[in-house]
Amino acid sequence: MKKAKSGFRFTIAIIIVSLMFIFICSVFLFNVIRDLGERTDDIVYSNTYQKTSYVNHIVNSNMMMVVNMASCLTEYESYSDEDLKNTLKTFSQNAKFLTVFLARPDGSALSWRLDEVNVSHRSYFVKALSGERNVSGQLFSNVDKMLVNVYAAPIYDLRRNVIGVLAATYDALELEDDLNMSFSSKDEPSPGYIIEGNGDVIMTGAPYSEHTSPIGENQNLFESPLYEGMTEEDKKLLKTDFENDECNNIIRTTAPNGNVYVAYYTKLDIPGNLHYLLVFPEGIIYDSLYSYVNKIIILFGLFFVVIIMVVLAYLIIAKSSMKAMQLANTRISKLAYEDPVTGFGTWNKFNIDARKILDHSSENEQFAFISFDIDKFKAINDMYGHEEGNRILKVIASTVNRNLREGEVFSRVSSDNYYILVRYTSDEEALERATSFIEAVEYEITQFVPVLSFGIYRIHDKTKAIRKMGDLADIAKRTVKYGEASSIAFYDDSMMQALREEKHIENEMQSALDRHEFAVYYQPKVALQGKPYVMGAETLVRWIKPDGIISPAKFIPLFERNRFIIKLDFYMIEQVCMDIKSWEKMGYSDVLVSVNMSRDHLTDNSFVQKLYEICQRYQVSPSRIEIEITESAAYDSMDVLSKVFKELKSYGFRVSIDDFGTGFSSLNMLKNLSADVLKLDREFITGTDNEKRANDIVTCVIMLARALGMETICEGIETKEQADKLRRLGCDMAQGYYYAKPMTTEAFETLIKNGSPTKPVELDPEKNKKEA
Ligand code: C2E
Ligand code: MG
Ligand code: MG
């Protein structure tokens, strides 16, 4: 919408700029045309001024010559005809007249070239006899046999009476070139005329031609096509001007053939009311003007076309770049809002949608924020490949999507973490929804049983930031993480407290290690068969702080999550090596010590090598050390566990499967793992629901272990009854508060110095707890 608006604005701007350009060009052209018009008129005026001066000069000098000749004949009446003829001949020879003749008052004309003729009917004679010197129009001279103009002047006697007329013929064609005018060498000369005030054409510059002259030969101007083609106003102006003495003007006229002519006229400065008229086709001057203007118009046109093309090119480029931008925007928003793995919404989209739903919900609508992920998704990726991992993520997303209700949203927010905003009315319903998600996912994934951890945060304050709600649901989720089966936890504030404590521990763990706050405690292991004696001990870590001892249950799970356990385990084994070495020096070289190693080490290919190097460093034989690894480590990868067991044994370590029976123990597993010891969890002997059945199972396990060449030990023995029963069932060793609680190195040293504990310590769980 915004883009369409800006495109429309741009088009309007282009139209306005174009119109302004056209307007400026028009004004410019108008001024150019007006200036050129004025210039052209100036050219006409200045050229014709010279022309008229010239014509004035010719006609005047001819006229003056005739007047002078006439003044020489004041007494002609006393001349003989022969003398008179000779005088006239002399006049003719001295001037460029064709024939000079004298007419007596009766009209009889005398010349040396012809016999007497009568010119009394000729108007030049009549005018001259009345005392008016004048030039005639073009006449055909029978004497000269050509068109001539006759210059006539009165002959006065001494008393200034007109006694005759002197006339001289002048070649009419001789003036032709002088009357005509060329504006340029390319054009035909334009015809000039000398016209009397009554319109009679006296002299014609060019012979009559329809193309060159709209005034016919010997015509009267006021009857000519030139005059007819003028506007009524111009006709009136022309007539008035010809009647008056001083005037010059330019008038346009249209000839019958449609050609436009320009008529310029000016009064001649000679006797009689004579005018010089120049007629030329408008094109002669104006064509060059128009071609000039045309060139300017073409130039402007081209310029305009170039501008339009540039604008069009710009528009095309802008449009295509706009398209590219739109495409990029679509891609960006796809990237921002569409999860490429699942094809569903991203965290950004979830954030926006969830916010909208919560903001628009009514007060009594209740929402819960669910966070869930798949336990050990990394292992799934490693085992099945990334492609399969992605497919599983997609399957989970579509399953969740299918199980959503109206007004609920979900998103994969990162890796294998999903958020769902659900509606609920009670905790039971929220739990049911989470369970149904788990069941649906378990149904869809067939390759393995996915373990999902769910955290549910009941939204009390809908205005809380979505990210914060997610964090709280995450906290709840973390409390059930890495269980054996999918689990669900509701968030409560104690979790936040625990989280704070965890953070506190995390902040302190490294410095605690540096300060040697982690201490080795030993819990004796007692041989059950025969006379009981302490045949070894299990090392258990204790965090000794100035304000008390922290149990591993508080920090081991955390260290396993943040992998600090790796450092701690190596630290522990070093301490153990030192103790073993010192006991050896004291002469106790048959104490077998077991050390717990987290399953986190299994991913480290050089783990066993590192253990071995530590033993070497302290010159302790690996055969003195038993490595306890929990049965649950087999869930990650049985193959890896089996390989590590073999490697440990190849270096001479004893290997023990710890906490056997806590998880989904598979007897088949025992066959694959070549362990030395099977350590039965205390669950085996504490369960009292069906004692007989429990006894049968323990017996079975002990027999199987023995059949596979493994010793058995049962941990968590708290009573004499339990100890007796295990002895009866054939268990090799026992460990528990009944015999001894975990104790300091010094306490354990005292114990082994004093010999085997024939008399078990008295059972006081509360006291033990405190001491442990
Ligand atoms: P675990 O290896 O199964 O250790 C035996 C646990 O049972 C110890 O708990 C011990 O104090 C407790 N226990 C022994 N006798 C009795 C009894 O009669 N009754 C009861 N109720 N409990 C008894 P602790 O010391 O709290 O250790 C807990 C777990 O922490 C250990 O279980 C072990 O998995 C882990 N752990 C302890 N120290 C280390 C260590 O240095 N490294 C590693 N990776 N894990 C350790
Ligand atoms: Mg253990
Ligand atoms: Mg154990």
Side-chain angles (χ1 to χ4, degrees), residues 538 540 596 628 658-659 679 715:
E538 178 181 9
L540 294 160
N596 291 290
E628 289 191 18
D658 198 359
D659 297 345
K679 198 166 188 184
E715 60 183 331

mmCIF file with all atom_site columns, all heavy atoms in Angstrom, residues 538 540 596 628 658-659 679 715, ligand 2:
data_model
loop_
_atom_site.group_PDB
_atom_site.id
_atom_site.type_symbol
_atom_site.label_atom_id
_atom_site.label_alt_id
_atom_site.label_comp_id
_atom_site.label_asym_id
_atom_site.label_entity_id
_atom_site.label_seq_id
_atom_site.pdbx_PDB_ins_code
_atom_site.Cartn_x
_atom_site.Cartn_y
_atom_site.Cartn_z
_atom_site.occupancy
_atom_site.B_iso_or_equiv
_atom_site.pdbx_formal_charge
_atom_site.auth_seq_id
_atom_site.auth_comp_id
_atom_site.auth_asym_id
_atom_site.auth_atom_id
_atom_site.pdbx_PDB_model_num
ATOM   1  N  N   . GLU A 1 538 ? 34.292 -47.217 48.340 1.00 0.00 ? 538 GLU A N   1
ATOM   2  C  CA  . GLU A 1 538 ? 33.872 -46.385 47.200 1.00 0.00 ? 538 GLU A CA  1
ATOM   3  C  C   . GLU A 1 538 ? 34.185 -44.940 47.546 1.00 0.00 ? 538 GLU A C   1
ATOM   4  O  O   . GLU A 1 538 ? 33.918 -44.496 48.669 1.00 0.00 ? 538 GLU A O   1
ATOM   5  C  CB  . GLU A 1 538 ? 32.378 -46.540 46.929 1.00 0.00 ? 538 GLU A CB  1
ATOM   6  C  CG  . GLU A 1 538 ? 31.922 -45.642 45.787 1.00 0.00 ? 538 GLU A CG  1
ATOM   7  C  CD  . GLU A 1 538 ? 30.426 -45.722 45.472 1.00 0.00 ? 538 GLU A CD  1
ATOM   8  O  OE1 . GLU A 1 538 ? 29.673 -46.350 46.244 1.00 0.00 ? 538 GLU A OE1 1
ATOM   9  O  OE2 . GLU A 1 538 ? 30.026 -45.131 44.459 1.00 0.00 ? 538 GLU A OE2 1
ATOM   10 N  N   . LEU A 1 540 ? 33.473 -41.091 47.388 1.00 0.00 ? 540 LEU A N   1
ATOM   11 C  CA  . LEU A 1 540 ? 32.323 -40.216 47.154 1.00 0.00 ? 540 LEU A CA  1
ATOM   12 C  C   . LEU A 1 540 ? 32.764 -38.787 47.457 1.00 0.00 ? 540 LEU A C   1
ATOM   13 O  O   . LEU A 1 540 ? 33.423 -38.543 48.464 1.00 0.00 ? 540 LEU A O   1
ATOM   14 C  CB  . LEU A 1 540 ? 31.161 -40.626 48.064 1.00 0.00 ? 540 LEU A CB  1
ATOM   15 C  CG  . LEU A 1 540 ? 30.595 -42.023 47.744 1.00 0.00 ? 540 LEU A CG  1
ATOM   16 C  CD1 . LEU A 1 540 ? 29.814 -42.561 48.937 1.00 0.00 ? 540 LEU A CD1 1
ATOM   17 C  CD2 . LEU A 1 540 ? 29.720 -42.003 46.507 1.00 0.00 ? 540 LEU A CD2 1
ATOM   18 N  N   . ASN A 1 596 ? 33.722 -43.182 41.121 1.00 0.00 ? 596 ASN A N   1
ATOM   19 C  CA  . ASN A 1 596 ? 32.592 -42.930 40.209 1.00 0.00 ? 596 ASN A CA  1
ATOM   20 C  C   . ASN A 1 596 ? 33.049 -42.053 39.035 1.00 0.00 ? 596 ASN A C   1
ATOM   21 O  O   . ASN A 1 596 ? 33.704 -41.031 39.240 1.00 0.00 ? 596 ASN A O   1
ATOM   22 C  CB  . ASN A 1 596 ? 31.468 -42.208 40.949 1.00 0.00 ? 596 ASN A CB  1
ATOM   23 C  CG  . ASN A 1 596 ? 30.809 -43.116 41.975 1.00 0.00 ? 596 ASN A CG  1
ATOM   24 O  OD1 . ASN A 1 596 ? 30.109 -44.061 41.625 1.00 0.00 ? 596 ASN A OD1 1
ATOM   25 N  ND2 . ASN A 1 596 ? 31.059 -42.847 43.260 1.00 0.00 ? 596 ASN A ND2 1
ATOM   26 N  N   . GLU A 1 628 ? 33.452 -47.032 38.487 1.00 0.00 ? 628 GLU A N   1
ATOM   27 C  CA  . GLU A 1 628 ? 31.993 -47.251 38.528 1.00 0.00 ? 628 GLU A CA  1
ATOM   28 C  C   . GLU A 1 628 ? 31.329 -46.346 37.487 1.00 0.00 ? 628 GLU A C   1
ATOM   29 O  O   . GLU A 1 628 ? 31.500 -45.129 37.528 1.00 0.00 ? 628 GLU A O   1
ATOM   30 C  CB  . GLU A 1 628 ? 31.440 -46.901 39.926 1.00 0.00 ? 628 GLU A CB  1
ATOM   31 C  CG  . GLU A 1 628 ? 31.836 -47.890 40.995 1.00 0.00 ? 628 GLU A CG  1
ATOM   32 C  CD  . GLU A 1 628 ? 31.051 -47.664 42.299 1.00 0.00 ? 628 GLU A CD  1
ATOM   33 O  OE1 . GLU A 1 628 ? 29.994 -46.983 42.238 1.00 0.00 ? 628 GLU A OE1 1
ATOM   34 O  OE2 . GLU A 1 628 ? 31.490 -48.151 43.349 1.00 0.00 ? 628 GLU A OE2 1
ATOM   35 N  N   . ASP A 1 658 ? 27.313 -49.509 37.968 1.00 0.00 ? 658 ASP A N   1
ATOM   36 C  CA  . ASP A 1 658 ? 26.725 -48.903 39.174 1.00 0.00 ? 658 ASP A CA  1
ATOM   37 C  C   . ASP A 1 658 ? 25.208 -48.765 39.006 1.00 0.00 ? 658 ASP A C   1
ATOM   38 O  O   . ASP A 1 658 ? 24.691 -48.709 37.892 1.00 0.00 ? 658 ASP A O   1
ATOM   39 C  CB  . ASP A 1 658 ? 27.369 -47.512 39.364 1.00 0.00 ? 658 ASP A CB  1
ATOM   40 C  CG  . ASP A 1 658 ? 27.181 -46.973 40.774 1.00 0.00 ? 658 ASP A CG  1
ATOM   41 O  OD1 . ASP A 1 658 ? 26.548 -47.669 41.590 1.00 0.00 ? 658 ASP A OD1 1
ATOM   42 O  OD2 . ASP A 1 658 ? 27.688 -45.859 41.043 1.00 0.00 ? 658 ASP A OD2 1
ATOM   43 N  N   . ASP A 1 659 ? 24.545 -48.747 40.160 1.00 0.00 ? 659 ASP A N   1
ATOM   44 C  CA  . ASP A 1 659 ? 23.093 -48.478 40.199 1.00 0.00 ? 659 ASP A CA  1
ATOM   45 C  C   . ASP A 1 659 ? 22.290 -49.440 39.331 1.00 0.00 ? 659 ASP A C   1
ATOM   46 O  O   . ASP A 1 659 ? 21.275 -49.047 38.739 1.00 0.00 ? 659 ASP A O   1
ATOM   47 C  CB  . ASP A 1 659 ? 22.785 -47.037 39.757 1.00 0.00 ? 659 ASP A CB  1
ATOM   48 C  CG  . ASP A 1 659 ? 23.396 -46.018 40.687 1.00 0.00 ? 659 ASP A CG  1
ATOM   49 O  OD1 . ASP A 1 659 ? 23.800 -46.391 41.794 1.00 0.00 ? 659 ASP A OD1 1
ATOM   50 O  OD2 . ASP A 1 659 ? 23.487 -44.830 40.286 1.00 0.00 ? 659 ASP A OD2 1
ATOM   51 N  N   . LYS A 1 679 ? 26.839 -53.754 40.489 1.00 0.00 ? 679 LYS A N   1
ATOM   52 C  CA  . LYS A 1 679 ? 26.492 -53.115 41.746 1.00 0.00 ? 679 LYS A CA  1
ATOM   53 C  C   . LYS A 1 679 ? 24.988 -52.892 41.786 1.00 0.00 ? 679 LYS A C   1
ATOM   54 O  O   . LYS A 1 679 ? 24.450 -52.029 41.064 1.00 0.00 ? 679 LYS A O   1
ATOM   55 C  CB  . LYS A 1 679 ? 27.247 -51.779 41.852 1.00 0.00 ? 679 LYS A CB  1
ATOM   56 C  CG  . LYS A 1 679 ? 27.313 -51.232 43.241 1.00 0.00 ? 679 LYS A CG  1
ATOM   57 C  CD  . LYS A 1 679 ? 28.345 -50.112 43.323 1.00 0.00 ? 679 LYS A CD  1
ATOM   58 C  CE  . LYS A 1 679 ? 28.541 -49.696 44.758 1.00 0.00 ? 679 LYS A CE  1
ATOM   59 N  NZ  . LYS A 1 679 ? 29.448 -48.573 44.864 1.00 0.00 ? 679 LYS A NZ  1
ATOM   60 N  N   . GLU A 1 715 ? 24.473 -52.032 47.352 1.00 0.00 ? 715 GLU A N   1
ATOM   61 C  CA  . GLU A 1 715 ? 24.731 -50.797 48.105 1.00 0.00 ? 715 GLU A CA  1
ATOM   62 C  C   . GLU A 1 715 ? 23.477 -50.373 48.856 1.00 0.00 ? 715 GLU A C   1
ATOM   63 O  O   . GLU A 1 715 ? 22.375 -50.827 48.569 1.00 0.00 ? 715 GLU A O   1
ATOM   64 C  CB  . GLU A 1 715 ? 25.224 -49.695 47.167 1.00 0.00 ? 715 GLU A CB  1
ATOM   65 C  CG  . GLU A 1 715 ? 24.282 -49.315 46.054 1.00 0.00 ? 715 GLU A CG  1
ATOM   66 C  CD  . GLU A 1 715 ? 24.865 -48.276 45.120 1.00 0.00 ? 715 GLU A CD  1
ATOM   67 O  OE1 . GLU A 1 715 ? 25.697 -47.465 45.552 1.00 0.00 ? 715 GLU A OE1 1
ATOM   68 O  OE2 . GLU A 1 715 ? 24.471 -48.268 43.933 1.00 0.00 ? 715 GLU A OE2 1
HETATM 69 MG MG  . MG  B 2 .   ? 28.815 -45.339 42.932 1.00 0.00 ? 2   MG  B MG  1
#
